[in-house]
Amino acid sequence: MPRLRTYVQIEGLLSVHAVRAVWTALAAVPGVLHAEVSMKGAVLDTEGPVDRMQLEACLEQAGVRVLGLTVERGSLPVL
């Protein structure tokens, strides 16, 4: 499967604690290799397409809501 970069728009990131909760929740989503989370949203590097419903459910547990997803295909460097 191709590696993908997914940009997630998130509502509810109002504190550093919320950012940390989202980062922790994203670790539970199958296929997520790396996540960068800020007060503006999240950028995910994934092994392939991520199940949106599963992603939304994990983030809902963290107390936030997904507003939108943008997926880019591309090759990530192999280390």
Side-chain angles (χ1 to χ4, degrees):
M1 288 226 160
R3 294 190 181 221
L4 304 172
R5 178 157 284 175
T6 304
Y7 298 90
V8 186
Q9 295 173 310
I10 301 171
E11 178 181 63
L13 290 171
L14 303 175
S15 68
V16 174
H17 298 290
V19 169
R20 181 67 177 175
V22 166
W23 186 82
T24 302
L26 290 170
V29 178
V32 174
L33 301 172
H34 177 76
E36 292 181 30
V37 183
S38 70
M39 302 281 276
K40 296 179 182 180
V43 179
L44 312 177
D45 291 329
T46 63
E47 291 179 318
V50 175
D51 183 332
R52 182 176 177 138
M53 290 182 67
Q54 193 170 32
L55 177 69
E56 288 178 356
C58 284
L59 293 179
E60 188 175 300
Q61 290 291 322
V64 298
R65 188 170 70 102
V66 174
L67 297 176
L69 293 175
T70 304
V71 179
E72 287 183 358
R73 287 195 181 272
S75 59
L76 299 174
V78 177
L79 302 175

